[in-house]
Amino acid sequence: MHSVKDAAKSAAWQRKEGKSKSGGLNAKGVASYRKANPGSKLKMAVTTPPSKLKKGSKSANRRKSFCARMMGMKKKLTSAKTAKDPNSRINKSLRKWNC
């Protein structure tokens, strides 16, 4: 069992308070990850709808790359139950990125 001391030691990105309810990390989670991992270039999700992104822009390419990578992970690395569950972290994340 985890005690209150253990929860205080772990970074926000590993706890509920650093995770977004809609999937991925929130601003607090990203900030705590960067603090725990100096030199990290972790950024927030690209939540802009694809129709509003300029084709070939940095954010459009980042979104496209993320979607391709995560869809592959979903296909290969999750159970059928997790893949079909709309509340699984991977499906929430894919929805947030408009994949």
Side-chain angles (χ1 to χ4, degrees):
M1 290 195 108
H2 296 290
S3 67
V4 177
K5 289 181 183 179
D6 291 339
K9 289 180 184 177
S10 64
W13 65 274
Q14 294 173 322
R15 296 191 314 270
K16 189 175 181 178
E17 68 185 50
K19 296 178 183 177
S20 173
K21 289 179 182 165
S22 60
L25 296 176
N26 57 25
K28 186 174 185 176
V30 170
S32 75
Y33 182 85
R34 284 191 192 144
K35 187 177 179 183
N37 298 281
S40 169
K41 295 180 182 178
L42 185 69
K43 298 177 187 176
M44 294 288 289
V46 177
T47 57
T48 312
S51 60
K52 302 267 191 229
L53 289 170
K54 189 175 181 180
K55 197 172 184 179
S57 66
K58 276 187 180 181
S59 50
N61 286 341
R62 194 166 155 254
R63 184 195 148 276
K64 186 177 174 184
S65 176
F66 175 86
C67 291
R69 187 172 69 249
M70 289 303 281
M71 291 298 243
M73 286 185 192
K74 180 181 171 180
K75 208 177 277 184
K76 297 280 184 191
L77 301 176
T78 59
S79 66
K81 183 182 174 187
T82 303
K84 291 177 184 173
D85 179 16
N87 290 322
S88 68
R89 297 298 296 175
I90 195 161
N91 285 333
K92 284 182 176 183
S93 183
L94 288 167
R95 270 197 308 276
K96 187 173 190 174
W97 282 73
N98 299 302
C99 295

